[in-house]
Amino acid sequence: MSDEQDINRIKIVLVEKKRSNKWLAQELGKDPATVSKWCTNTTQPDLQTLAKVAALLDVDIKDLLWSTRS
C-alpha cells in the first residue's frame, strides 16, 4: 500500500476498466468532484455507494478496497 490513508482502489479499477471519473459520476448521479475525491482517497463513498460502483464496474466489492492483510 502506497499510503496508510489509501483505502479504496476506485481509480485503479476505473483505469483497468477503461472508464472515467466523469462516466462513474454520471452513472451514479453524483457530482464529478465527489468521485474525484474518492479516486484521490480524500473522502470515501459509503458502503451502499461502493456496492453500486462495484456493480457498475462489474467487479467484486473487495476489488475496490485495499486488503488490510499483508
Side-chain angles (χ1 to χ4, degrees):
M1 191 169 356
S2 61
D3 183 351
E4 291 297 317
Q5 295 181 346
D6 284 356
I7 297 170
N8 76 64
R9 299 179 66 247
I10 295 172
K11 182 176 183 177
I12 294 165
V13 177
L14 280 170
V15 170
E16 289 171 351
K17 297 289 183 171
K18 296 179 175 56
R19 295 291 187 174
S20 68
N21 295 12
K22 185 177 177 182
W23 171 85
L24 184 59
Q26 289 173 335
E27 292 293 312
L28 293 171
K30 299 282 187 186
D31 188 301
T34 300
V35 174
S36 179
K37 288 178 182 177
W38 298 341
C39 289
T40 59
N41 275 281
T42 304
T43 62
Q44 300 301 324
D46 60 43
L47 285 175
Q48 186 178 9
T49 303
L50 198 62
K52 290 179 186 174
V53 171
L56 286 168
L57 294 173
D58 193 31
V59 296
D60 190 293
I61 195 169
K62 290 185 288 186
D63 293 337
L64 297 176
L65 300 169
W66 289 105
S67 176
T68 57
R69 297 178 182 218
S70 21

